[in-house]
Amino acid sequence: MFRRAFWFTAGAAAGVWATTKVNRQLKKLTPESLAVQAADKAVEAGHRLKDFALDVKAGMTQREDELNDALGLHQDPDRPDNVTALPGPRRLRAIEPDQHDKTTERPKFSYNRNEDH
């Protein structure tokens, strides 16, 4: 008698457990639940994208500071935050043919392409 009662109780408990699991899965597959899950995933993806963008911006700022230090562009306290001070003007050589360089001299005659025909 106790054996039958044990197996009856074990079977009933397994049936209740299986029914509960199946009902939970069915509730997850309703259109409303799927919409909520999709919205949650979209919000989560948005947060990850925002974190990525902030990391990229921080990296860009750090790299910009490194380049400004390497190029000698330093922040001037009298200027706004988004304007960097440029170094003084450089002395550039004018682009002229060298007086002693014979390769830049023009020939004494003019060349007319129409004369070839």
Side-chain angles (χ1 to χ4, degrees):
M1 175 91 175
F2 287 108
R3 194 180 258 179
R4 284 184 183 179
F6 170 75
W7 286 114
F8 177 77
T9 306
V16 169
W17 177 79
T19 304
T20 305
K21 290 291 257 184
V22 168
N23 284 335
R24 282 184 189 163
Q25 290 299 323
L26 288 175
K27 284 181 184 178
K28 285 183 182 178
L29 297 176
T30 61
E32 295 84 13
S33 177
L34 291 176
V36 169
Q37 288 177 6
D40 289 342
K41 293 288 184 182
V43 168
E44 182 182 336
H47 287 301
R48 283 189 302 211
L49 188 61
K50 178 184 171 188
D51 291 341
F52 175 73
L54 290 174
D55 289 343
V56 168
K57 185 176 180 181
M60 285 172 46
T61 303
Q62 178 184 0
R63 183 62 179 150
E64 185 178 352
D65 290 340
E66 291 172 3
L67 291 173
N68 285 340
D69 289 341
L71 295 174
L73 301 173
H74 300 288
Q75 192 73 20
D76 189 3
D78 296 335
R79 294 177 186 245
D81 290 338
N82 61 351
V83 177
T84 56
L86 295 175
R90 295 183 182 177
R91 298 184 69 193
L92 299 176
R93 255 181 51 189
I95 301 175
E96 294 179 357
D98 190 8
Q99 300 295 333
H100 304 291
D101 188 11
K102 301 296 182 190
T103 60
T104 59
E105 288 183 14
R106 293 185 160 221
K108 303 287 185 211
F109 61 92
S110 65
Y111 179 72
N112 188 351
R113 288 180 44 193
N114 292 332
E115 293 177 357
D116 290 341
H117 301 287

